[in-house]
PDB file of all heavy atoms in Angstrom:
ATOM      1  N   GLU A   4     -95.776 -59.504  10.819  1.00 65.00           N
ATOM      2  CA  GLU A   4     -96.205 -58.336  11.587  1.00 65.00           C
ATOM      3  C   GLU A   4     -95.030 -57.713  12.326  1.00 65.00           C
ATOM      4  O   GLU A   4     -94.917 -56.486  12.399  1.00 65.00           O
ATOM      5  CB  GLU A   4     -97.304 -58.734  12.579  1.00 65.00           C
ATOM      6  CG  GLU A   4     -98.635 -59.038  11.926  1.00 65.00           C
ATOM      7  CD  GLU A   4     -99.663 -59.526  12.926  1.00 65.00           C
ATOM      8  OE1 GLU A   4     -99.264 -59.811  14.088  1.00 65.00           O
ATOM      9  OE2 GLU A   4    -100.848 -59.631  12.565  1.00 65.00           O
ATOM     10  N   ASN A   5     -94.149 -58.561  12.875  1.00 66.00           N
ATOM     11  CA  ASN A   5     -92.967 -58.038  13.569  1.00 66.00           C
ATOM     12  C   ASN A   5     -92.059 -57.289  12.601  1.00 66.00           C
ATOM     13  O   ASN A   5     -91.533 -56.215  12.924  1.00 66.00           O
ATOM     14  CB  ASN A   5     -92.196 -59.177  14.236  1.00 66.00           C
ATOM     15  CG  ASN A   5     -92.925 -59.721  15.461  1.00 66.00           C
ATOM     16  OD1 ASN A   5     -93.771 -59.048  16.028  1.00 66.00           O
ATOM     17  ND2 ASN A   5     -92.599 -60.938  15.852  1.00 66.00           N
ATOM     18  N   ALA A   6     -91.881 -57.883  11.407  1.00 64.00           N
ATOM     19  CA  ALA A   6     -91.041 -57.229  10.400  1.00 64.00           C
ATOM     20  C   ALA A   6     -91.662 -55.904   9.979  1.00 64.00           C
ATOM     21  O   ALA A   6     -90.965 -54.900   9.816  1.00 64.00           O
ATOM     22  CB  ALA A   6     -90.865 -58.159   9.192  1.00 64.00           C
ATOM     23  N   LEU A   7     -93.004 -55.913   9.802  1.00 64.00           N
ATOM     24  CA  LEU A   7     -93.695 -54.685   9.418  1.00 64.00           C
ATOM     25  C   LEU A   7     -93.593 -53.645  10.524  1.00 64.00           C
ATOM     26  O   LEU A   7     -93.397 -52.453  10.255  1.00 64.00           O
ATOM     27  CB  LEU A   7     -95.164 -55.003   9.114  1.00 64.00           C
ATOM     28  CG  LEU A   7     -96.019 -53.841   8.622  1.00 64.00           C
ATOM     29  CD1 LEU A   7     -95.481 -53.311   7.304  1.00 64.00           C
ATOM     30  CD2 LEU A   7     -97.469 -54.271   8.462  1.00 64.00           C
ATOM     31  N   TRP A   8     -93.732 -54.087  11.781  1.00 65.00           N
ATOM     32  CA  TRP A   8     -93.630 -53.167  12.901  1.00 65.00           C
ATOM     33  C   TRP A   8     -92.242 -52.546  12.964  1.00 65.00           C
ATOM     34  O   TRP A   8     -92.097 -51.331  13.176  1.00 65.00           O
ATOM     35  CB  TRP A   8     -93.933 -53.910  14.199  1.00 65.00           C
ATOM     36  CG  TRP A   8     -93.880 -53.039  15.414  1.00 65.00           C
ATOM     37  CD1 TRP A   8     -94.864 -52.232  15.905  1.00 65.00           C
ATOM     38  CD2 TRP A   8     -92.753 -52.871  16.287  1.00 65.00           C
ATOM     39  NE1 TRP A   8     -94.433 -51.577  17.033  1.00 65.00           N
ATOM     40  CE2 TRP A   8     -93.146 -51.937  17.292  1.00 65.00           C
ATOM     41  CE3 TRP A   8     -91.473 -53.405  16.320  1.00 65.00           C
ATOM     42  CZ2 TRP A   8     -92.285 -51.550  18.309  1.00 65.00           C
ATOM     43  CZ3 TRP A   8     -90.619 -53.014  17.339  1.00 65.00           C
ATOM     44  CH2 TRP A   8     -91.025 -52.092  18.317  1.00 65.00           C
ATOM     45  N   GLN A   9     -91.205 -53.368  12.780  1.00 67.00           N
ATOM     46  CA  GLN A   9     -89.846 -52.850  12.800  1.00 67.00           C
ATOM     47  C   GLN A   9     -89.622 -51.860  11.662  1.00 67.00           C
ATOM     48  O   GLN A   9     -88.979 -50.816  11.842  1.00 67.00           O
ATOM     49  CB  GLN A   9     -88.850 -54.009  12.704  1.00 67.00           C
ATOM     50  CG  GLN A   9     -88.833 -54.900  13.944  1.00 67.00           C
ATOM     51  CD  GLN A   9     -87.908 -56.088  13.784  1.00 67.00           C
ATOM     52  OE1 GLN A   9     -87.269 -56.256  12.739  1.00 67.00           O
ATOM     53  NE2 GLN A   9     -87.845 -56.933  14.797  1.00 67.00           N
ATOM     54  N   GLU A  10     -90.180 -52.209  10.484  1.00 64.00           N
ATOM     55  CA  GLU A  10     -90.043 -51.298   9.348  1.00 64.00           C
ATOM     56  C   GLU A  10     -90.760 -49.983   9.632  1.00 64.00           C
ATOM     57  O   GLU A  10     -90.258 -48.901   9.313  1.00 64.00           O
ATOM     58  CB  GLU A  10     -90.629 -51.958   8.101  1.00 64.00           C
ATOM     59  CG  GLU A  10     -90.482 -51.124   6.838  1.00 64.00           C
ATOM     60  CD  GLU A  10     -91.040 -51.830   5.619  1.00 64.00           C
ATOM     61  OE1 GLU A  10     -91.297 -53.049   5.702  1.00 64.00           O
ATOM     62  OE2 GLU A  10     -91.226 -51.155   4.600  1.00 64.00           O
ATOM     63  N   LYS A  11     -91.936 -50.073  10.247  1.00 64.00           N
ATOM     64  CA  LYS A  11     -92.688 -48.871  10.591  1.00 64.00           C
ATOM     65  C   LYS A  11     -91.928 -48.044  11.621  1.00 64.00           C
ATOM     66  O   LYS A  11     -91.889 -46.804  11.525  1.00 64.00           O
ATOM     67  CB  LYS A  11     -94.066 -49.263  11.130  1.00 64.00           C
ATOM     68  CG  LYS A  11     -94.934 -48.077  11.500  1.00 64.00           C
ATOM     69  CD  LYS A  11     -96.275 -48.539  12.026  1.00 64.00           C
ATOM     70  CE  LYS A  11     -97.146 -47.354  12.432  1.00 64.00           C
ATOM     71  NZ  LYS A  11     -98.459 -47.786  12.965  1.00 64.00           N
ATOM     72  N   GLU A  12     -91.327 -48.727  12.610  1.00 63.00           N
ATOM     73  CA  GLU A  12     -90.558 -48.014  13.617  1.00 63.00           C
ATOM     74  C   GLU A  12     -89.386 -47.275  12.986  1.00 63.00           C
ATOM     75  O   GLU A  12     -89.115 -46.110  13.307  1.00 63.00           O
ATOM     76  CB  GLU A  12     -90.047 -49.002  14.674  1.00 63.00           C
ATOM     77  CG  GLU A  12     -91.098 -49.457  15.667  1.00 63.00           C
ATOM     78  CD  GLU A  12     -91.531 -48.322  16.572  1.00 63.00           C
ATOM     79  OE1 GLU A  12     -90.685 -47.768  17.283  1.00 63.00           O
ATOM     80  OE2 GLU A  12     -92.726 -47.969  16.535  1.00 63.00           O
ATOM     81  N   ARG A  13     -88.689 -47.975  12.079  1.00 64.00           N
ATOM     82  CA  ARG A  13     -87.555 -47.324  11.400  1.00 64.00           C
ATOM     83  C   ARG A  13     -88.029 -46.114  10.603  1.00 64.00           C
ATOM     84  O   ARG A  13     -87.379 -45.057  10.602  1.00 64.00           O
ATOM     85  CB  ARG A  13     -86.853 -48.325  10.482  1.00 64.00           C
ATOM     86  CG  ARG A  13     -86.005 -49.355  11.213  1.00 64.00           C
ATOM     87  CD  ARG A  13     -85.076 -50.067  10.252  1.00 64.00           C
ATOM     88  NE  ARG A  13     -85.812 -50.862   9.292  1.00 64.00           N
ATOM     89  CZ  ARG A  13     -86.140 -52.135   9.450  1.00 64.00           C
ATOM     90  NH1 ARG A  13     -85.788 -52.760  10.569  1.00 64.00           N
ATOM     91  NH2 ARG A  13     -86.800 -52.795   8.521  1.00 64.00           N
ATOM     92  N   ALA A  14     -89.173 -46.286   9.917  1.00 61.00           N
ATOM     93  CA  ALA A  14     -89.700 -45.183   9.112  1.00 61.00           C
ATOM     94  C   ALA A  14     -90.079 -43.995   9.997  1.00 61.00           C
ATOM     95  O   ALA A  14     -89.786 -42.837   9.666  1.00 61.00           O
ATOM     96  CB  ALA A  14     -90.910 -45.653   8.308  1.00 61.00           C
ATOM     97  N   GLN A  15     -90.723 -44.286  11.148  1.00 64.00           N
ATOM     98  CA  GLN A  15     -91.124 -43.200  12.032  1.00 64.00           C
ATOM     99  C   GLN A  15     -89.927 -42.504  12.658  1.00 64.00           C
ATOM    100  O   GLN A  15     -89.921 -41.276  12.801  1.00 64.00           O
ATOM    101  CB  GLN A  15     -92.058 -43.747  13.127  1.00 64.00           C
ATOM    102  CG  GLN A  15     -93.435 -44.134  12.615  1.00 64.00           C
ATOM    103  CD  GLN A  15     -94.352 -44.594  13.719  1.00 64.00           C
ATOM    104  OE1 GLN A  15     -93.888 -45.075  14.754  1.00 64.00           O
ATOM    105  NE2 GLN A  15     -95.642 -44.469  13.514  1.00 64.00           N
ATOM    106  N   VAL A  16     -88.891 -43.294  13.019  1.00 61.00           N
ATOM    107  CA  VAL A  16     -87.671 -42.685  13.561  1.00 61.00           C
ATOM    108  C   VAL A  16     -87.012 -41.802  12.513  1.00 61.00           C
ATOM    109  O   VAL A  16     -86.549 -40.687  12.801  1.00 61.00           O
ATOM    110  CB  VAL A  16     -86.697 -43.784  14.046  1.00 61.00           C
ATOM    111  CG1 VAL A  16     -85.334 -43.177  14.374  1.00 61.00           C
ATOM    112  CG2 VAL A  16     -87.258 -44.491  15.262  1.00 61.00           C
ATOM    113  N   THR A  17     -87.006 -42.307  11.274  1.00 58.00           N
ATOM    114  CA  THR A  17     -86.413 -41.532  10.173  1.00 58.00           C
ATOM    115  C   THR A  17     -87.187 -40.242   9.953  1.00 58.00           C
ATOM    116  O   THR A  17     -86.603 -39.151   9.838  1.00 58.00           O
ATOM    117  CB  THR A  17     -86.399 -42.360   8.881  1.00 58.00           C
ATOM    118  OG1 THR A  17     -85.649 -43.553   9.097  1.00 58.00           O
ATOM    119  CG2 THR A  17     -85.779 -41.575   7.749  1.00 58.00           C
ATOM    120  N   LEU A  18     -88.519 -40.356   9.880  1.00 61.00           N
ATOM    121  CA  LEU A  18     -89.344 -39.171   9.637  1.00 61.00           C
ATOM    122  C   LEU A  18     -89.234 -38.174  10.782  1.00 61.00           C
ATOM    123  O   LEU A  18     -89.315 -36.963  10.574  1.00 61.00           O
ATOM    124  CB  LEU A  18     -90.801 -39.588   9.440  1.00 61.00           C
ATOM    125  CG  LEU A  18     -91.116 -40.360   8.157  1.00 61.00           C
ATOM    126  CD1 LEU A  18     -92.562 -40.823   8.163  1.00 61.00           C
ATOM    127  CD2 LEU A  18     -90.846 -39.492   6.930  1.00 61.00           C
ATOM    128  N   ALA A  19     -89.075 -38.704  12.004  1.00 59.00           N
ATOM    129  CA  ALA A  19     -88.988 -37.820  13.161  1.00 59.00           C
ATOM    130  C   ALA A  19     -87.647 -37.105  13.233  1.00 59.00           C
ATOM    131  O   ALA A  19     -87.541 -36.039  13.848  1.00 59.00           O
ATOM    132  CB  ALA A  19     -89.228 -38.613  14.446  1.00 59.00           C
ATOM    133  N   SER A  20     -86.620 -37.678  12.616  1.00 59.00           N
ATOM    134  CA  SER A  20     -85.281 -37.120  12.754  1.00 59.00           C
ATOM    135  C   SER A  20     -84.858 -36.253  11.574  1.00 59.00           C
ATOM    136  O   SER A  20     -83.894 -35.498  11.690  1.00 59.00           O
ATOM    137  CB  SER A  20     -84.263 -38.258  12.934  1.00 59.00           C
ATOM    138  OG  SER A  20     -84.274 -39.123  11.816  1.00 59.00           O
ATOM    139  N   ILE A  21     -85.557 -36.345  10.445  1.00 71.00           N
ATOM    140  CA  ILE A  21     -85.150 -35.532   9.293  1.00 71.00           C
ATOM    141  C   ILE A  21     -85.574 -34.088   9.506  1.00 71.00           C
ATOM    142  O   ILE A  21     -86.461 -33.785  10.307  1.00 71.00           O
ATOM    143  CB  ILE A  21     -85.740 -36.075   7.976  1.00 71.00           C
ATOM    144  CG1 ILE A  21     -87.272 -35.989   8.006  1.00 71.00           C
ATOM    145  CG2 ILE A  21     -85.288 -37.483   7.714  1.00 71.00           C
ATOM    146  CD1 ILE A  21     -87.916 -36.421   6.697  1.00 71.00           C
ATOM    147  N   GLY A  22     -84.942 -33.174   8.772  1.00 71.00           N
ATOM    148  CA  GLY A  22     -85.215 -31.752   8.934  1.00 71.00           C
ATOM    149  C   GLY A  22     -86.445 -31.278   8.209  1.00 71.00           C
ATOM    150  O   GLY A  22     -86.951 -30.182   8.494  1.00 71.00           O
ATOM    151  N   ASP A  23     -86.957 -32.047   7.240  1.00 84.00           N
ATOM    152  CA  ASP A  23     -88.127 -31.629   6.485  1.00 84.00           C
ATOM    153  C   ASP A  23     -89.413 -31.994   7.209  1.00 84.00           C
ATOM    154  O   ASP A  23     -89.456 -32.961   7.979  1.00 84.00           O
ATOM    155  CB  ASP A  23     -88.146 -32.284   5.103  1.00 84.00           C
ATOM    156  CG  ASP A  23     -87.078 -31.711   4.187  1.00 84.00           C
ATOM    157  OD1 ASP A  23     -86.593 -30.613   4.478  1.00 84.00           O
ATOM    158  OD2 ASP A  23     -86.727 -32.386   3.189  1.00 84.00           O
ATOM    159  N   ALA A  24     -90.442 -31.212   6.950  1.00 87.00           N
ATOM    160  CA  ALA A  24     -91.770 -31.535   7.459  1.00 87.00           C
ATOM    161  C   ALA A  24     -92.418 -32.540   6.521  1.00 87.00           C
ATOM    162  O   ALA A  24     -92.322 -32.417   5.293  1.00 87.00           O
ATOM    163  CB  ALA A  24     -92.620 -30.274   7.554  1.00 87.00           C
ATOM    164  N   VAL A  25     -93.065 -33.549   7.089  1.00 89.00           N
ATOM    165  CA  VAL A  25     -93.716 -34.592   6.293  1.00 89.00           C
ATOM    166  C   VAL A  25     -95.161 -34.724   6.748  1.00 89.00           C
ATOM    167  O   VAL A  25     -95.450 -34.830   7.947  1.00 89.00           O
ATOM    168  CB  VAL A  25     -93.000 -35.947   6.436  1.00 89.00           C
ATOM    169  CG1 VAL A  25     -93.724 -37.015   5.606  1.00 89.00           C
ATOM    170  CG2 VAL A  25     -91.549 -35.827   6.000  1.00 89.00           C
ATOM    171  N   LEU A  26     -96.058 -34.702   5.778  1.00 89.00           N
ATOM    172  CA  LEU A  26     -97.489 -34.854   6.043  1.00 89.00           C
ATOM    173  C   LEU A  26     -98.039 -35.884   5.045  1.00 89.00           C
ATOM    174  O   LEU A  26     -97.720 -35.821   3.857  1.00 89.00           O
ATOM    175  CB  LEU A  26     -98.189 -33.503   5.873  1.00 89.00           C
ATOM    176  CG  LEU A  26     -99.701 -33.400   6.086  1.00 89.00           C
ATOM    177  CD1 LEU A  26    -100.064 -31.965   6.515  1.00 89.00           C
ATOM    178  CD2 LEU A  26    -100.490 -33.765   4.846  1.00 89.00           C
ATOM    179  N   THR A  27     -98.850 -36.835   5.542  1.00 91.00           N
ATOM    180  CA  THR A  27     -99.453 -37.820   4.644  1.00 91.00           C
ATOM    181  C   THR A  27    -100.967 -37.741   4.736  1.00 91.00           C
ATOM    182  O   THR A  27    -101.534 -37.355   5.761  1.00 91.00           O
ATOM    183  CB  THR A  27     -98.998 -39.257   4.971  1.00 91.00           C
ATOM    184  OG1 THR A  27     -99.433 -39.608   6.293  1.00 91.00           O
ATOM    185  CG2 THR A  27     -97.499 -39.398   4.870  1.00 91.00           C
ATOM    186  N   THR A  28    -101.623 -38.113   3.631  1.00 93.00           N
ATOM    187  CA  THR A  28    -103.082 -38.134   3.584  1.00 93.00           C
ATOM    188  C   THR A  28    -103.547 -39.445   2.968  1.00 93.00           C
ATOM    189  O   THR A  28    -102.763 -40.165   2.344  1.00 93.00           O
ATOM    190  CB  THR A  28    -103.644 -36.988   2.725  1.00 93.00           C
ATOM    191  OG1 THR A  28    -103.418 -37.278   1.327  1.00 93.00           O
ATOM    192  CG2 THR A  28    -103.005 -35.666   3.088  1.00 93.00           C
ATOM    193  N   ASP A  29    -104.845 -39.732   3.150  1.00 93.00           N
ATOM    194  CA  ASP A  29    -105.426 -40.860   2.436  1.00 93.00           C
ATOM    195  C   ASP A  29    -105.871 -40.388   1.060  1.00 93.00           C
ATOM    196  O   ASP A  29    -105.649 -39.229   0.682  1.00 93.00           O
ATOM    197  CB  ASP A  29    -106.586 -41.479   3.230  1.00 93.00           C
ATOM    198  CG  ASP A  29    -107.715 -40.498   3.506  1.00 93.00           C
ATOM    199  OD1 ASP A  29    -107.801 -39.475   2.799  1.00 93.00           O
ATOM    200  OD2 ASP A  29    -108.510 -40.750   4.429  1.00 93.00           O
ATOM    201  N   VAL A  30    -106.523 -41.266   0.313  1.00 90.00           N
ATOM    202  CA  VAL A  30    -106.904 -40.938  -1.056  1.00 90.00           C
ATOM    203  C   VAL A  30    -107.995 -39.878  -1.099  1.00 90.00           C
ATOM    204  O   VAL A  30    -108.216 -39.242  -2.142  1.00 90.00           O
ATOM    205  CB  VAL A  30    -107.348 -42.223  -1.796  1.00 90.00           C
ATOM    206  CG1 VAL A  30    -108.704 -42.683  -1.306  1.00 90.00           C
ATOM    207  CG2 VAL A  30    -107.340 -42.028  -3.305  1.00 90.00           C
ATOM    208  N   ASP A  31    -108.680 -39.634   0.018  1.00 92.00           N
ATOM    209  CA  ASP A  31    -109.726 -38.610   0.077  1.00 92.00           C
ATOM    210  C   ASP A  31    -109.210 -37.277   0.586  1.00 92.00           C
ATOM    211  O   ASP A  31    -109.997 -36.353   0.829  1.00 92.00           O
ATOM    212  CB  ASP A  31    -110.869 -39.083   0.976  1.00 92.00           C
ATOM    213  CG  ASP A  31    -111.573 -40.312   0.416  1.00 92.00           C
ATOM    214  OD1 ASP A  31    -111.778 -40.357  -0.812  1.00 92.00           O
ATOM    215  OD2 ASP A  31    -111.900 -41.218   1.200  1.00 92.00           O
ATOM    216  N   GLY A  32    -107.903 -37.174   0.786  1.00 91.00           N
ATOM    217  CA  GLY A  32    -107.332 -35.916   1.225  1.00 91.00           C
ATOM    218  C   GLY A  32    -107.438 -35.656   2.708  1.00 91.00           C
ATOM    219  O   GLY A  32    -107.300 -34.512   3.161  1.00 91.00           O
ATOM    220  N   ASN A  33    -107.671 -36.699   3.499  1.00 94.00           N
ATOM    221  CA  ASN A  33    -107.719 -36.565   4.955  1.00 94.00           C
ATOM    222  C   ASN A  33    -106.345 -36.856   5.547  1.00 94.00           C
ATOM    223  O   ASN A  33    -105.694 -37.832   5.159  1.00 94.00           O
ATOM    224  CB  ASN A  33    -108.751 -37.525   5.544  1.00 94.00           C
ATOM    225  CG  ASN A  33    -110.146 -37.267   5.009  1.00 94.00           C
ATOM    226  OD1 ASN A  33    -110.590 -36.119   4.941  1.00 94.00           O
ATOM    227  ND2 ASN A  33    -110.830 -38.319   4.608  1.00 94.00           N
ATOM    228  N   VAL A  34    -105.917 -36.033   6.465  1.00 93.00           N
ATOM    229  CA  VAL A  34    -104.586 -36.165   7.056  1.00 93.00           C
ATOM    230  C   VAL A  34    -104.476 -37.459   7.853  1.00 93.00           C
ATOM    231  O   VAL A  34    -105.379 -37.805   8.629  1.00 93.00           O
ATOM    232  CB  VAL A  34    -104.266 -34.964   7.956  1.00 93.00           C
ATOM    233  CG1 VAL A  34    -102.926 -35.149   8.661  1.00 93.00           C
ATOM    234  CG2 VAL A  34    -104.264 -33.677   7.137  1.00 93.00           C
ATOM    235  N   THR A  35    -103.379 -38.187   7.646  1.00 92.00           N
ATOM    236  CA  THR A  35    -103.146 -39.433   8.385  1.00 92.00           C
ATOM    237  C   THR A  35    -101.892 -39.373   9.257  1.00 92.00           C
ATOM    238  O   THR A  35    -101.761 -40.171  10.179  1.00 92.00           O
ATOM    239  CB  THR A  35    -103.020 -40.618   7.415  1.00 92.00           C
ATOM    240  OG1 THR A  35    -101.938 -40.357   6.479  1.00 92.00           O
ATOM    241  CG2 THR A  35    -104.315 -40.838   6.639  1.00 92.00           C
ATOM    242  N   TYR A  36    -100.975 -38.438   8.966  1.00 91.00           N
ATOM    243  CA  TYR A  36     -99.734 -38.400   9.765  1.00 91.00           C
ATOM    244  C   TYR A  36     -99.044 -37.059   9.603  1.00 91.00           C
ATOM    245  O   TYR A  36     -99.029 -36.454   8.516  1.00 91.00           O
ATOM    246  CB  TYR A  36     -98.795 -39.522   9.325  1.00 91.00           C
ATOM    247  CG  TYR A  36     -97.431 -39.467   9.985  1.00 91.00           C
ATOM    248  CD1 TYR A  36     -97.252 -39.857  11.311  1.00 91.00           C
ATOM    249  CD2 TYR A  36     -96.316 -38.998   9.283  1.00 91.00           C
ATOM    250  CE1 TYR A  36     -96.017 -39.783  11.927  1.00 91.00           C
ATOM    251  CE2 TYR A  36     -95.067 -38.926   9.890  1.00 91.00           C
ATOM    252  CZ  TYR A  36     -94.924 -39.322  11.208  1.00 91.00           C
ATOM    253  OH  TYR A  36     -93.698 -39.251  11.810  1.00 91.00           O
ATOM    254  N   LEU A  37     -98.467 -36.583  10.722  1.00 91.00           N
ATOM    255  CA  LEU A  37     -97.580 -35.412  10.722  1.00 91.00           C
ATOM    256  C   LEU A  37     -96.325 -35.778  11.498  1.00 91.00           C
ATOM    257  O   LEU A  37     -96.423 -36.324  12.602  1.00 91.00           O
ATOM    258  CB  LEU A  37     -98.244 -34.214  11.412  1.00 91.00           C
ATOM    259  CG  LEU A  37     -99.454 -33.535  10.754  1.00 91.00           C
ATOM    260  CD1 LEU A  37     -99.980 -32.459  11.680  1.00 91.00           C
ATOM    261  CD2 LEU A  37     -99.083 -32.941   9.421  1.00 91.00           C
ATOM    262  N   ASN A  38     -95.159 -35.497  10.931  1.00 89.00           N
ATOM    263  CA  ASN A  38     -93.952 -35.724  11.719  1.00 89.00           C
ATOM    264  C   ASN A  38     -93.702 -34.502  12.607  1.00 89.00           C
ATOM    265  O   ASN A  38     -94.386 -33.478  12.479  1.00 89.00           O
ATOM    266  CB  ASN A  38     -92.763 -36.061  10.810  1.00 89.00           C
ATOM    267  CG  ASN A  38     -92.187 -34.851  10.102  1.00 89.00           C
ATOM    268  OD1 ASN A  38     -92.852 -33.829   9.976  1.00 89.00           O
ATOM    269  ND2 ASN A  38     -90.963 -34.971   9.627  1.00 89.00           N
ATOM    270  N   PRO A  39     -92.773 -34.571  13.553  1.00 89.00           N
ATOM    271  CA  PRO A  39     -92.575 -33.461  14.499  1.00 89.00           C
ATOM    272  C   PRO A  39     -92.309 -32.110  13.837  1.00 89.00           C
ATOM    273  O   PRO A  39     -92.787 -31.086  14.337  1.00 89.00           O
ATOM    274  CB  PRO A  39     -91.365 -33.926  15.318  1.00 89.00           C
ATOM    275  CG  PRO A  39     -91.460 -35.416  15.292  1.00 89.00           C
ATOM    276  CD  PRO A  39     -91.950 -35.756  13.911  1.00 89.00           C
TER     277      PRO A  39
END
């Protein structure tokens, strides 16, 4: 869980710092995440 949390933190920091907009959805097309 700690390793997963660290990986998630790195991913969120990366997504928050890149210049592109990133949006994720579940398999039903419902939004699950938007980066800044």
Side-chain angles (χ1 to χ4, degrees):
E4 288 176 350
N5 288 340
L7 183 62
W8 181 83
Q9 292 176 0
E10 183 178 346
K11 181 180 179 181
E12 283 292 300
R13 286 195 294 269
Q15 289 183 334
V16 170
T17 301
L18 291 174
S20 60
I21 64 176
D23 289 341
V25 179
L26 180 154
T27 63
T28 74
D29 60 20
V30 73
D31 296 320
N33 300 314
V34 176
T35 58
Y36 174 75
L37 292 176
N38 76 340

